[in-house]
Amino acid sequence: ELKVEQNPLFLSMQEGKNYTIYCNYSTTSDRLYWYRQDPGKSLESLFVLLSNGAVKQEGRLMASLDTKARLSTLHITAAVHDLSATYFCAVGSGGATNKLIFGTGTLLAVQP
Amino acid sequence: GAVVSQHPSWVICKSGTSVKIECRSLDFQATTMFWYRQFPKQSLMLMATSNEGSKATYEQGVEKDKFLINHASLTLSTLTVTSAHPEDSSFYICSATRGQGGGKLFFGSGTQLSVL
């Protein structure tokens, strides 16, 4: 059974600082996703990582995937208040069906 | 980009009544849709996989007689919460995939269900 864990669960950081969110998963998968969720809202897709060593960057966020270690990271550079949200990683399961198992989520609070 | 519409956005109902939530893919045909439930401050838990024209596949621990899923067309899947109780109050989110295998999933806007 695929299990996905994120850490930390909660992250309070100051504007301008850097930090990394980690996503570990228990079984082999060929795709990993990162999403952002604002309170009371649905999910906003951030990144899709499909191969070992994949690195994607958008603005202050950068995601990477190490399939051998079953680890993905979401790195935040020079955080700003607008990045405050909950971030989820999700790992593909079930082959062709695109079924996703979500991580526990990381609540990010960026303090001015 | 692809859009998935979910309706209603929020619903309040009395205990014992049934509530139907719709998930539509607006500009693509979705052979597979997924239903998730999210309790406050928790992650998304997959409830079931909905395939057009066939019975849904439910995850372990999800009561198929309580959460009825119908995927009658390539653009519409519905989730009916039957005989709702306060413990069913949750945020329900659907997602749809355009094809098979990797690539993006498109999420609906979510439905907040409150059962009184």
Side-chain angles (χ1 to χ4, degrees):
Chain A
E1 180 188 351
L2 173 60
K3 293 189 178 179
V4 183
E5 292 185 351
Q6 273 178 251
N7 70 83
L9 296 181
F10 176 70
L11 176 57
S12 178
M13 57 191 299
Q14 288 185 316
E15 281 191 327
K17 299 292 186 182
N18 305 331
Y19 210 83
T20 300
I21 300 171
Y22 297 89
C23 174
N24 291 88
Y25 53 100
S26 61
T27 63
T28 302
S29 174
D30 58 358
R31 54 195 185 278
L32 188 139
Y33 302 77
W34 283 97
Y35 293 95
R36 168 183 172 145
Q37 186 181 37
D38 291 296
K41 304 291 185 182
S42 189
L43 301 177
E44 174 190 350
S45 177
L46 297 175
F47 301 107
V48 180
L49 303 169
L50 299 176
S51 61
N52 186 41
V55 177
K56 291 194 174 180
Q57 183 165 5
E58 181 74 34
R60 300 175 188 273
L61 301 178
M62 183 174 70
S64 66
L65 177 62
D66 181 342
T67 58
K68 294 181 180 178
R70 296 176 188 160
L71 170 68
S72 179
T73 61
L74 180 66
H75 187 72
I76 303 154
T77 302
V80 293
H81 180 68
D82 286 351
L83 289 179
S84 298
T86 299
Y87 293 84
F88 291 98
C89 64
V91 180
S93 170
T97 65
N98 252 350
K99 174 175 154 179
L100 293 186
I101 304 300
F102 279 80
T104 43
T106 297
L107 175 57
L108 173 66
V110 181
Q111 312 295 337
Chain B
V3 176
V4 174
S5 172
Q6 192 172 335
H7 178 82
S9 298
W10 58 271
V11 57
I12 301 173
C13 70
K14 291 183 179 180
S15 186
T17 61
S18 295
V19 173
K20 181 185 284 189
I21 303 170
E22 292 188 349
C23 181
R24 293 179 185 273
S25 56
L26 297 185
D27 55 359
F28 67 100
Q29 294 185 328
T31 52
T32 305
M33 291 186 175
F34 302 90
W35 288 96
Y36 292 86
R37 178 167 56 181
Q38 185 181 31
F39 292 109
K41 300 188 191 301
Q42 294 189 23
S43 187
L44 281 75
M45 299 301 296
L46 179 65
M47 298 175 68
T49 303
S50 169
N51 296 298
E52 186 267 337
S54 63
K55 289 184 179 180
T57 302
Y58 289 82
E59 295 299 305
Q60 191 173 9
V62 178
E63 300 175 58
K64 61 180 180 181
D65 294 330
K66 180 167 185 63
F67 299 99
L68 301 179
I69 292 172
N70 184 279
H71 193 156
S73 77
L74 284 171
T75 59
L76 173 65
S77 176
T78 60
L79 168 67
T80 300
V81 182
T82 62
S83 187
H85 290 284
E87 58 265 30
D88 298 323
S89 299
S90 184
F91 192 55
Y92 293 87
I93 306 176
C94 70
S95 69
T97 181
R98 196 196 305 259
Q100 293 187 346
K104 270 190 176 180
L105 275 175
F106 301 95
F107 283 84
S109 52
T111 298
Q112 180 64 53
L113 170 64
S114 296
V115 184
L116 304 179

